[in-house]
Amino acid sequence: MKKYYAGLDLGGTFVKGGIVDEEGNILVKGKIPTGAERPYAAIAADMAQLVKDLAAQAGLQQEQIAAVGIGSPGLIDAENGTIVYSNNLRWENVPLCAAVRERLGLPVCITNDANAAALGESFCGAGKKYRSMVFITLGTGVGGGIILDGKLFEGYRSAGAEVGHMVIECGGWLCTCGRRGCFEAYASATGLIRRTREAMEAHPESAMWRLAGSLEKVDGKTAFDGMRAGDAAAARVVDEYISYLAEGVVNLVNIFRPEAVLLGGGVCAEGETLLAPLREKVFPHLFGGTEYAPCAIVKASLGNDAGLCGAARLAMGRE
Ligand code: BGC
């Protein structure tokens, strides 16, 4: 009999979910607002309901779902199913798995959101052909998923692979984790938006004002759009952003020397506009050059589905 799994990707803004089969095909998917300011029990109830709704949409009985997997930002105690600490959800010691399990009566397991996305990409996305890869997600935060010799590397008690909290600028911008100069503060969409707004304030003549409408409406695309419109201030923002991104990528490649770095998250929608200059800034700085151990820098292929797909992959065998 065919087995089905539910994958849930918990984010600060949305919870995305899907029903996935053993081959990694997504039967149905959907998303609901997280409402992150609410108590976790309310969020867990919504997540359980999302699984029920998706199962119904797929024409399945709830009992036909073998297990549920969750990807969540932050430091995860996988054994106990708790979110130990999340800088972006502002949670500490939240027993999310138990809360979802109670409402569904199904096995529930959990990992970090970027780890889940890396699993998804290596299961059925662009990571499939690499035995070693570093996945980096550039969204509200910067997350990392490291696959070495085909296995997810999470560090002691799964507390590692927090690539976003590697300092790339000593004494630099304050990060949500409390340190200064983190990769995340610069390379996240949030960091890009901050820099874009600063540039707009310094340049009232910039085309970015016309493109965004106001400072509040600035998003991760504004500077890229400005650059395409020939705006010099916007081009500088993009160049600086890619330089910071390159610093982090070089460090990660020099430590892990993966076959590939996969980039996911909202900013990656820019595709080669981001990747081509990034390669130019990364390759000359790789330890020992690129001839002996080349490293590809590519866009992740599953987009918003990577997390839910990997969360479902995590659930496989957990029934
Ligand atoms: C968190 C990570 C998470 C990443 C992406 C970071 O701020 O520390 O745990 O993976 O954001 O959501």
Side-chain angles (χ1 to χ4, degrees):
M1 209 176 63
K2 237 181 149 169
K3 283 188 187 162
Y4 302 97
Y5 298 85
L8 293 170
D9 181 12
L10 171 62
T13 318
F14 290 106
V15 181
K16 290 163 223 141
I19 306 292
V20 178
D21 69 14
E22 285 166 289
E23 281 86 52
N25 301 305
I26 300 171
L27 275 67
V28 289
K29 60 179 177 178
K31 70 175 183 180
I32 53 170
T34 308
E37 64 296 337
R38 300 176 301 156
Y40 80 86
I43 298 172
D46 287 355
M47 291 169 80
Q49 189 59 47
L50 179 60
V51 172
K52 290 181 187 176
D53 293 346
L54 290 169
Q57 271 176 49
L60 298 170
Q61 301 296 320
Q62 195 179 310
E63 306 74 60
Q64 285 174 275
I65 307 292
V68 180
I70 301 174
S72 162
L75 197 167
I76 311 298
D77 177 348
E79 212 173 304
N80 292 307
T82 56
I83 296 163
V84 178
Y85 162 73
S86 172
N87 52 317
N88 13 36
L89 291 170
R90 296 176 198 283
W91 278 358
E92 273 184 46
N93 296 317
V94 166
L96 190 68
C97 281
V100 175
R101 190 185 311 121
E102 248 166 49
R103 289 170 173 84
L104 287 174
L106 294 170
V108 182
C109 53
I110 188 165
T111 189
N112 170 272
D113 59 351
N115 285 345
L119 278 177
E121 290 288 343
S122 75
F123 177 41
C124 50
K128 224 173 161 172
K129 57 179 182 188
Y130 304 111
R131 295 229 356 115
S132 300
M133 64 137 182
V134 171
F135 169 84
I136 306 172
T137 168
L138 308 171
T140 310
V142 170
I146 297 160
I147 307 245
L148 299 177
D149 290 327
K151 272 183 59 191
L152 187 67
F153 169 82
E154 295 177 286
Y156 178 54
R157 301 198 71 193
S158 305
E162 280 290 347
V163 307
H165 304 290
M166 140 183 78
V167 168
I168 55 165
E169 179 83 70
C170 200
W173 288 354
L174 190 63
C175 180
T176 54
C177 75
R179 292 185 84 201
R180 285 196 172 274
C182 286
F183 186 34
E184 167 163 320
Y186 293 85
S188 60
T190 321
L192 173 58
I193 290 168
R194 172 184 174 161
R195 183 64 103 205
T196 305
R197 287 183 176 142
E198 282 180 2
M200 286 166 69
E201 281 178 316
H203 295 277
E205 79 290 355
S206 164
M208 294 188 284
W209 285 103
R210 177 176 48 80
L211 291 164
S214 67
L215 284 180
E216 293 71 49
K217 292 196 191 133
V218 168
D219 62 20
K221 258 183 98 233
T222 307
F224 282 93
D225 286 344
M227 178 182 75
R228 278 185 281 266
D231 186 70
R236 274 196 302 275
V237 171
V238 170
D239 183 64
E240 223 177 76
Y241 172 78
I242 299 176
S243 297
Y244 279 116
L245 178 59
E247 290 294 335
V249 170
V250 168
N251 292 341
L252 290 167
V253 175
N254 284 349
I255 295 168
F256 295 105
R257 204 58 178 223
E259 293 166 75
V261 172
L262 258 64
L263 293 168
V267 184
C268 287
E270 294 297 336
E272 284 301 307
T273 310
L274 174 76
L275 294 179
L278 179 65
R279 291 185 197 105
E280 269 173 40
K281 288 178 193 279
V282 168
F283 290 155
H285 299 285
L286 294 185
F287 186 78
T290 48
E291 209 170 298
Y292 173 70
C295 176
I297 298 179
V298 294
K299 191 177 155 190
S301 64
L302 299 180
N304 283 335
D305 297 339
L308 67 92
C309 195
R313 176 72 188 88
L314 181 79
M316 294 179 191
R318 306 289 183 100
E319 52 268 43

